[in-house]
Structure formats: C-alpha cells, structure tokens
Amino acid sequence: MDVSNLFSLAGSRLKSSKIRELMKLMGQPGIISMAGGSPDAEHFPYEEINAITAAWDERKRALALQYGATGGYGPLLEQIRAYVALGGVSFAGQAVLPTTGAQQSLQLLTRVLTDPGDVVLVEIPAFIGALAAFAGYGAEAVGVELDDQGLPPERLEATIVALRKAGRRIKFLYTNPTFQNPSGLSLTQARRDKVYEVCSKHDILILEDDPYYELYFTGGPSDYRNLKSRDVDNRVVLVNTFSKILSPGLRLGWMTGPEALIARCETAKQSEDACSCSYSQVVAADYLAAGHVPVYTRKMRQVYGGKCRLMLECLEREMPKGVSWSHPAGGFFVWVSLPEHLDSEDLLRASLERKVAFVTGEPFNADGGGKNKLRLAFSNSSREEITTGIARVAEALRSIL
C-alpha cells in the first residue's frame, strides 16, 4: 500500500532534520561527530542523580513511577519558579508549564499561536528544531539576518514595518539571544533593551529560547540577563530546558509566560502526551532543591570553555585563508564561514570520507541561504577528537580548493 497518498498537509510538510540524520553516524566506529549539540556525557551528574533516587521513600517512588498532572509536579513548579526568579524574572501574571524537552515547548506554542500562512520572525541563522516546528504548522519563517553582534534591532523593525505594509500577520519573534544556536553569538544588554522596545512598540510577542545562558566562558550572569527579565507587559515567553543543566535524556524542559497562554498550551499538551515524565520531574525537583545546578554549571563552564578555546586554536592553525568563524563566549557551537563560492555540502562529503561529521549551514537559514556555512559542536567531543577532527576537515577543504 502506498501510504504516502494518505499524508495530511501537515504530514507532507515534515522534513527530517539534518542533525538527526548525522547523529546516526555517531555510533559508527571511527566517526568523529561535531554535528549534534550534545552535552559532555563524561561529566553528567551521575552520583548526584543516584543519591537523589536512593533517598526516595515509598511515597516519592510511587509519584515518580505514576501518571502525573498535565500541568506538572507541584514541587518542581515551585523549584522552577525560584530558579527562574534568580535571573530577575517577575512572576506577576505568569505561569510555568513543564514540557517533554524544550522542543515540545516550541511545538505547543506554535500550535496554539499560528495558523497556516502566519509569519514568525526568526534570526538568520536560527535553530533547526524551531524552524521545523514552525514549518510543521504551516507558519512562514521570515528571517532577520544577524550581524557580528547578533540580532540588529533596526533590521528587525524594518522587517516588521515591511511585513505589516504587505498585510502580513506576524505572530511572534523567535530569538535565541545568548550563545545562539548555531552562530554562538550573544546580544549585548543594550541590544536586548532595544529588541524588547521594538517588539513593544509594534506589539509583537517574543518567544525567547534560552538553553545555554548558564554556560558562559567570559563575563557573568548580568552580561546575559534574558529578555524575560525586562517583561513588563506580558510580552515574553521564556523557554528553558534541563538538557544543559542536568541531562538531555530526562527529556524535560519548561516554559514561563502569560497565564492565559500557558493555560492554552497545557490544554494542547493534554492531547499530545497527557503529562511529561513523572520520574524526570521528581528527579529535577530534588536536583534543584539540593542546589546542584550552580555547582554543575560552574564545572561545565570550565569544561566547555577549554574545549571551545582548543577548537578556536585548531581552526586558527589548520584552516586555509579565506575561512572565518565566530568566537563564542559560551554555549556549544562555532559557526564557520567558507569562501562565498564554496558549498559546505561538498565539504561535508569530503569530510565524511575522512570520518568527520558536522552540520551544513543551509538548514539553519529560513531564506535558503547559508550554503557556505557550517556548524561545529565542541561540546561532546574529546580534546583529541577536536584536534584530529579540525585537522581532517581542513585537509578536506584543501582538497576541494
């Protein structure tokens, strides 16, 4: 039976993520993968999680293994509120919803906010998972190109004005302002003020994806204060995840936003998975309550910072002239620009022959550009893999040149 004839419009729009396809290579012998942005598995908080679950009494064990409320496990909601409030976020008129990873937050928000043909403003480049969520519901992602300081407020405002003049309906701005995936760039605090002002002036909702903000290598928390901390008129929905501060395998994230919007997302979630994993929620609540997050993230800032510096040193040493790259102050990624006439797909094929994988730039670009770009993840590679991998990619590039 040819089931492809049965696909709905939404089903027909679905595309496999380039990252997911490349991550299949990670299990193959000898492959050095700088494709997926996975945390460093060597440093997961194994001992802390074991101690948490070992201390559970019979009641808590039952809670962890039972169905839970769609709106989340009560103690976790309390801990998330306290954790988010540390960044200066006010909870007046706000609510929290735990989700099955941050990706479900993006799916739920897109589902309840957009109709086919609506516009979602995005950065160029932007996170592949977000672009896939928007496309899956028929929303059109219209990009605002980043400069070397991130999202330019003037360019954002010009795009809004042009779209409104054309009669287009803009539903929200999607932004990843801190150690952006894939570019690694971060908005200055002054630019964050201006982006918020532009969206307030034009009455645009902001969907702020902020998974890396604790993983800075330079500066401190005040340098990366989020847009949500500026929210005085219920304009910002903040999406977070436990993937970078605990474990991605627990598949647990959350969103913080206006009560009416969070309530509608909770209703939508009831028909998707009924509730996020109870076990993960109980672990995460106890993990936050025990104060493990600042200890873990302090350690991981050192780990990731060392890997990032090594990758930048290797790029400087190995890459031929005409290649440039970002210099992130945190996060997981370095964004590489090849000479304009080159296609990163060609480089990927040549690199795979040398047992190295990365992600090409085009899938991150809502406008179809980025053919000469590529994303390198340093987060889950060893120092030896980074050194060898960059040397092999440079060798592959020289063979093309």
Side-chain angles (χ1 to χ4, degrees), residues 198-213:
V198 167
C199 290
S200 182
K201 174 182 175 182
H202 294 280
D203 201 24
I204 302 290
L205 183 73
I206 301 172
L207 199 170
E208 181 179 19
D209 196 357
D210 202 24
Y212 307 103
Y213 71 102

Side-chain angles (χ1 to χ4, degrees), residues 130-143:
L131 295 178
F134 306 149
Y137 287 98
E140 180 185 350
V142 175

Side-chain angles (χ1 to χ4, degrees), residues 13 21 75 116 142 160 178 208 229 291 299 301 362 364 373:
R13 285 192 293 261
E21 294 299 316
V142 175
I160 292 170
T178 306
E208 181 179 19
S229 67
K299 178 178 73 171
R301 286 195 287 270
E362 187 175 3
F364 296 99
K373 310 287 187 180

Side-chain angles (χ1 to χ4, degrees), residues 43-61:
H43 293 91
F44 283 145
Y46 298 108
E47 293 181 4
E48 290 83 352
I49 293 174
N50 286 337
I52 284 170
T53 57
W56 287 349
D57 58 19
E58 184 176 344
R59 175 182 172 278
K60 189 167 281 189
R61 287 198 300 269

